[in-house]
Amino acid sequence: MSVKSTAARRTTRGGAKRRGGEPELVQLLTPEGDRVEHSEYSIDVTPDELRGLYRDMVLTRRFDAEAITLQRQGELGLWASLLGQEAAQIGSGRATRPDDYIFPTYREHGVAWTRDVDPLNLLGMFRGVNNGGWDPNENNFHLYTIVIGSQTLHATGYAMGVAKDGADAAVIAYFGDGASSQGDVAESFTFAAVYNAPVVFFCQNNQWAISEPTEKQSRVPIYQRAAGYGFPGVRVDGNDVLAVLAVTRAALEHARSGQGPMLVEAFTYRMGAHTTTDDPTRYRSDEEREEWASKDPIARLRAHLDKQGLADEGFYAGLDAESDALAKRVRDGVRGMPNPDPMAMFENVYADGHALVDEERAQFAEYLASFEDAPAASHGAAGSGKGH
């Protein structure tokens, strides 16, 4: 079985082709849940490991859904959902070793889960009450990066330092298909190649850079860009958690063994909106989304577990209860957080202050005060400060 999208259905230049003209990709588990072999990538996983991967994806999806609801209720200012990308994140995250270092963007909630970062820390950032909330060096998981593509530079520099230290570790940098057009990413590829840095560039190609399809971002499949910089690239079925695990594990070992950088393109799909400020119905079709829904990463692994008799109803019932408990903890934790201070955004902009910032601070303070003077019936959420 192959994975196709609007972008993949169009003719591409170069690279091995599968039937139908789309580029080759690594797949070990079909959408129907059947195991298949690949000549270069293979993996042996125990029943416990398979159930663990399934648990990771289910709990990550539940936490993500709860975050969307909390944002809609005014408890978060924004949320970037990972819906549909669970296999890409859990598979790659579980491929890392504790001494590997991870540089995420702002959507790697599943990777954060694999590094034991408390989901409430992620939510606190999107609520505006912390700047990340975790110590990156405790989990070797860097703080989220909102600036598009810049984390690839940080990862490359860190990997160059790892190489100079002679450490037996690798670095992995996450970015999206849209970020692949950023100059920071191109510079990262150049420096990583020249200095033979032990870094894996992990691109989650979810087909849409907000409203721009991948075909408007690149004239060739993204993984093929690596060849121009002198290091290997591979495309993996990003909805196949086993293939992602196998490919990322191999890429990290490639980097650790002194062979330099590698680019992994996880070919997946963003089932939800870019963020909670986005309306994807304005630029993509229901038919396209339905096509990708049939390749759902969680349903795929469940089908495999059921076909192989590796999970029973007791396992699923226990996981449902665990999901409910996680959702409750997330809800209660967020609602127990303080309201963000709306005036805090004016602090630490300039070390010595600035006349324009002072003027804007005064204007915003006057605006907030206008709610306090308004009739009680009109206060609503604005008066509470939640969601601002």
Side-chain angles (χ1 to χ4, degrees):
M1 298 293 294
S2 61
V3 175
K4 296 186 291 184
S5 73
T6 302
R9 284 192 292 269
R10 303 196 179 195
T11 301
T12 57
R13 297 174 173 85
K17 298 290 194 304
R18 292 173 64 88
R19 184 175 58 189
E22 65 270 22
E24 182 71 57
L25 83 169
V26 179
Q27 186 180 85
L28 299 179
L29 192 64
T30 69
E32 294 77 23
D34 298 319
R35 281 295 303 267
V36 292
E37 298 299 322
H38 191 274
S39 60
E40 295 183 44
Y41 297 95
S42 62
I43 190 170
D44 293 321
V45 286
T46 67
D48 281 345
E49 289 171 330
L50 286 170
R51 287 188 291 268
L53 292 169
Y54 183 81
R55 172 183 175 272
D56 285 337
M57 291 194 292
V58 168
L59 293 179
T60 300
R61 178 172 290 187
R62 181 60 183 273
F63 149 61
D64 180 71
E66 199 65 35
I68 294 173
T69 300
L70 286 165
Q71 194 280 331
R72 298 307 190 201
Q73 294 171 346
E75 299 289 352
L76 304 178
L78 183 74
W79 185 250
S81 173
L82 59 65
L83 183 63
Q85 298 176 222
E86 294 88 357
Q89 296 196 13
I90 297 300
S92 59
R94 289 301 181 196
T96 61
R97 299 191 323 207
D99 57 340
D100 294 332
Y101 208 101
I102 297 172
F103 287 82
T105 64
Y106 48 80
R107 200 188 300 275
E108 273 68 59
H109 319 314
V111 185
W113 174 266
T114 69
R115 303 301 279 195
D116 295 325
V117 175
D118 190 333
L120 286 173
N121 281 329
L122 307 179
L123 292 161
M125 188 190 76
F126 284 95
R127 186 176 171 86
V129 297
N130 65 41
N131 294 318
W134 66 90
D135 180 353
N137 294 322
E138 286 185 3
N139 314 77
N140 279 6
F141 185 80
H142 198 268
L143 297 175
Y144 274 8
T145 302
I146 307 300
V147 178
I148 305 299
S150 64
Q151 72 281 355
T152 59
L153 288 173
H154 309 155
T156 299
Y158 192 94
M160 290 164 61
V162 167
K164 288 183 180 294
D165 290 343
D168 178 31
V171 177
I172 183 168
Y174 288 84
F175 62 101
D177 46 292
S180 70
S181 297
Q182 292 291 109
D184 285 355
V185 175
E187 292 173 12
S188 301
F189 287 3
T190 297
F191 272 79
V194 170
Y195 287 91
N196 207 45
V199 58
V200 173
F201 296 105
F202 193 93
C203 176
Q204 291 180 85
N205 179 0
N206 64 19
Q207 312 302 313
W208 292 95
I210 308 182
S211 59
E212 287 295 297
T214 307
E215 65 215 42
K216 292 188 177 181
Q217 297 288 327
S218 179
R219 296 184 65 178
V220 299
I222 291 172
Y223 78 97
Q224 292 182 8
R225 290 185 178 183
Y229 293 88
F231 58 87
V234 60
R235 173 181 276 189
V236 62
D237 182 348
N239 285 17
D240 176 356
V241 69
L242 299 185
V244 174
L245 179 62
V247 168
T248 310
R249 187 177 286 171
L252 288 165
E253 185 55 37
H254 172 96
R256 287 191 208 100
S257 61
Q259 299 180 67
M262 188 165 174
L263 171 61
V264 175
E265 177 191 358
F267 202 72
T268 181
Y269 193 78
R270 192 195 76 214
M271 293 297 292
H274 174 71
T275 70
T276 45
T277 63
D278 174 42
D279 178 8
T281 63
R282 299 181 64 183
Y283 54 80
R284 68 185 191 190
S285 68
D286 291 340
E287 291 77 15
E288 180 177 298
R289 190 183 188 282
E290 289 170 3
E291 178 188 353
W292 277 92
S294 68
K295 306 180 182 82
D296 182 83
I298 296 178
R300 181 184 305 206
L301 184 53
R302 176 159 183 165
H304 179 70
L305 291 172
D306 291 344
K307 287 182 178 182
Q308 299 300 314
L310 300 177
D312 57 19
E313 288 306 314
F315 167 75
Y316 294 124
L319 185 53
D320 286 343
E322 188 178 4
S323 296
D324 290 341
L326 175 62
K328 184 178 187 305
R329 185 171 79 84
V330 165
R331 284 194 303 273
D332 294 345
V334 169
R335 290 168 178 165
M337 291 178 182
N339 290 331
D341 177 8
M343 301 302 295
M345 62 181 173
F346 297 100
E347 304 300 327
N348 305 315
V349 179
Y350 290 93
D352 299 321
H354 192 282
L356 180 58
V357 175
D358 292 341
E359 179 183 345
E360 292 173 342
R361 180 192 290 109
Q363 290 174 346
F364 192 61
E366 183 179 357
Y367 168 75
L368 291 178
S370 69
F371 291 103
E372 297 174 3
D373 296 335
S378 65
H379 280 185
S384 70
K386 290 188 177 183
H388 283 236

